[in-house]
Amino acid sequence: MIISSLQPHITHDAASESDRRPIGAVRAGQSVRLGFRDGAAAVLDAELVLNGDGFERRYKMALTGGRWYCDLVPSTEPAALWYCFCLRLEEGEFWLCAASGGRFGQLQSSRGSAFRLTVYDAAFETPAWFRRSVMYQIFPDRFARDTSDTAQRGIEYHRSRGRQVKYHEGWNEPVDWQPNSADGFYFPLDFYGGTLRGIESRLPYLQALGVGVIYLNPIFEACSNHRYGTGDYLKVDPVLGTNEDFERLCKSAAKSGIRVMLDGVFSHTGADSVYFNRFSRYDSAGAYNAGEASPYYSWYDFRKWPGEYRCWWNFPDLPEVDENDARWREFVISGEDSVVRTWLRRGASGWRLDVADELPDEALALIRRAAKDADPEAVVLGEVWEDAVTKTSYGARRKYALGESLDSVMNYPFRSAVLDFLTFRSDARALADFLLGQRLNYPAPLYFSLMNLVSSHDVDRARTALATRLDARSMTREQQAGFIITDAQDERGCAMQRLAAAIQFAIPGVPSVYYGDETGMNGMLDPFDRAPFTVGKRPLVDWYSKLAELRNENDALSIGAAGFSAPDADVLTVLRFVGGGRDEFGLEAENGAFLAVINRSAYEKRIVADLWAGHAGLTAAETQSLRASGITRARCLLSGDSAAVSEGLVQLTLPPESARIYRLM
């Protein structure tokens, strides 16, 4: 009874500077004020309880003006921390802990979930160009052919090595998926002949789409079409072209204002490679066929040479490397002519690191350091599927999101949250809570550089996921191959994909478009999500181009402050703002205020958006600056609709399944 009567009066809001200043992640050594409101004057004494991995500290709290507070430096080192409050009332000891969602406090009789507090490296910075970019992901074999015989000559090269590769003469032929190897499994040995010159020929298209950075899935020589089992790190796969073709692509892209990011697969190599050479297809002394006489022998963990060795997820075609081996580190990372440095010199602007959580933090830090030495503006992005700050792997908390090892990560949790919202597995309030959670818990340099994706080469395409609402991972390959998207489903998927894209382009981070999503391609899981680039029944090229145009032309939509709200279970609003001529990093930026509104419902919605107080995530100073900007009108840049703004309140009528981006004037 005591809890229910006091609950409304004893409160903590992790998104309010009254209770937490500053809100969000903090730099190592930075002071923080944490507190709570005691509206009932019932608390006799209070302690802040702070804990991290392997420690717990308690701090006495002081009372002033009905608020208990504590000033502290949470940590002088990067760390993932948690806190809650221990209260002494007349009735005994109680706890103020995090309720579901992690933002608001809940009074409890026993200790429960804690609020998160992220401390990151004080020197952590990320390249400003990347935070402003729109990304386009390309699976190189499937994007564009060129008019030369490059691909055919590459196919013949692989055949000369003894590989049983297949070339699709027809670009629109279905992808292979049936078992095709001696062990009865599917092996991705079919090629469509996309090339680097083909990508270069499409640069005008990508420029018109508003793309600022191309992320290429692996381009290095390998026996598979996905090339995640590297055969030679220093050579472009001949099906794609030559090293010179890559350099030319980067130069041509730069003239179009586009940079190129490569995929680095460093946790393992291919068994069919210069380094392992299991099948003796190379002239090199590989670790498998030459043993200790091989310069690469120490890269691998042989339990019993040659046939027993550690491999990635038990795939014998992908032997794992020892990332602590000095020879491997010299070749891949630290040497003057290392793989990391060489490709940056050849024109790349960064690396996406495959399975980053399977690389040690120390190795990741060395990769980032080598990349920054070669090019201070290079970006190092990690493949991470979970929350990047709290992630644990191999029994340890990972620190790659705290400023030393990675610039940012692939935002798969964002994909899940958006798809859940648009398929009615959650509501707008849950999505707003998720978006706010990333704002509060991720270091700002990482947060504004997140690769915000809704499709990739490792998941079913957004159109399909939104159209069918199926769990593709529960289906066999045969079921996926035979599944036909109906016209009605595609129409539904198209409508929801428009909304997903609007959310992508409205929030902080780098919106990532997987090739063909903008043209309406469907596809289940690998290999069906990797079909050749085509135009579907309901393309959205104009929609993506418009969203990119708005983002590229308005600083507030890329590097402005962000606040999130859900005025209705079906309606999400995102407020973006730059004031005082400076962005969130203190860099020069154009002032502006925008309100993105997404209605997933099949019905018209009338809502009132509160610009001054309704959007969590903005600081008090940002809200004050927003109020002082004298906003009186809201005009949609997508539809032309307009509405009056009075005292920060704007009443909007939203069509069914619609997205609006209003300029606030």
Side-chain angles (χ1 to χ4, degrees), residues 322-398:
D322 176 6
E323 296 91 352
N324 296 313
D325 179 68
R327 286 187 175 183
W328 179 84
R329 287 189 173 183
E330 175 77 10
F331 183 88
V332 172
I333 306 172
S334 55
E336 184 59 32
D337 295 320
S338 69
V339 176
V340 170
R341 296 174 190 268
T342 292
W343 289 98
L344 293 173
R345 283 198 295 264
R346 288 175 177 171
S349 292
W351 289 95
R352 175 267 192 187
L353 301 181
D354 186 56
V355 292
D357 50 10
E358 298 188 26
L359 294 166
D361 280 337
E362 183 184 357
L364 290 173
L366 290 174
I367 291 172
R368 185 167 184 262
R369 201 171 307 151
K372 303 293 184 181
D373 285 346
D375 178 4
E377 289 294 292
V379 173
V380 179
L381 190 74
E383 179 194 9
V384 178
W385 286 67
E386 302 86 3
D387 186 293
V389 171
T390 60
K391 169 73 178 183
T392 59
S393 60
Y394 300 97
R397 180 89 56 197
R398 302 306 301 267

Side-chain angles (χ1 to χ4, degrees), residues 47-51 56-59 61 82-86 95 111 114:
E47 286 184 315
L48 169 72
V49 182
L50 181 75
N51 67 282
E56 178 174 296
R57 294 195 295 266
R58 293 187 173 225
Y59 300 84
M61 302 183 72
W82 288 261
Y83 67 91
C84 56
F85 305 95
C86 183
W95 292 83
R111 188 169 178 175

Side-chain angles (χ1 to χ4, degrees), residues 12 20 34-36 45-52 55-61 68-74 80-88 93-98 110-117:
H12 173 77
R20 174 168 162 170
L34 297 172
F36 62 90
D45 197 14
E47 286 184 315
L48 169 72
V49 182
L50 181 75
N51 67 282
F55 81 90
E56 178 174 296
R57 294 195 295 266
R58 293 187 173 225
Y59 300 84
K60 295 290 290 183
M61 302 183 72
W68 290 84
Y69 72 92
C70 177
D71 293 322
L72 72 154
V73 174
L81 304 177
W82 288 261
Y83 67 91
C84 56
F85 305 95
C86 183
L87 318 181
R88 185 169 65 85
E93 181 180 272
F94 290 83
W95 292 83
L96 186 59
C97 300
S110 59
R111 188 169 178 175
S113 300
F115 302 94
R116 289 175 58 181
L117 177 60

Side-chain angles (χ1 to χ4, degrees), residues 414-429:
F414 165 77
R415 175 186 191 266
S416 297
V418 169
L419 294 187
D420 283 349
F421 170 59
L422 295 176
T423 54
F424 291 80
R425 291 190 289 263
S426 71
D427 62 18
R429 297 180 181 98

Side-chain angles (χ1 to χ4, degrees), residues 117-183:
L117 177 60
T118 303
V119 180
Y120 61 97
D121 193 305
F124 185 25
E125 301 292 346
T126 51
W129 71 265
F130 189 65
R131 300 192 290 259
R132 293 171 174 263
S133 296
V134 173
M135 176 183 283
Y136 192 84
Q137 181 186 348
I138 294 176
F139 195 81
D141 183 59
R142 309 291 163 85
F143 186 59
R145 290 173 172 173
D146 64 46
T147 57
S148 73
D149 61 351
T150 294
Q152 290 88 342
R153 284 189 283 110
I155 292 294
E156 290 309 313
Y157 166 84
H158 284 296
R159 287 172 178 163
S160 72
R161 292 274 185 199
R163 297 171 182 142
Q164 302 300 311
V165 297
K166 171 184 174 180
Y167 181 69
H168 289 276
E169 295 291 344
W171 185 253
N172 294 319
E173 292 177 14
V175 295
D176 285 4
W177 60 271
Q178 294 176 317
N180 57 4
S181 60
D183 55 11

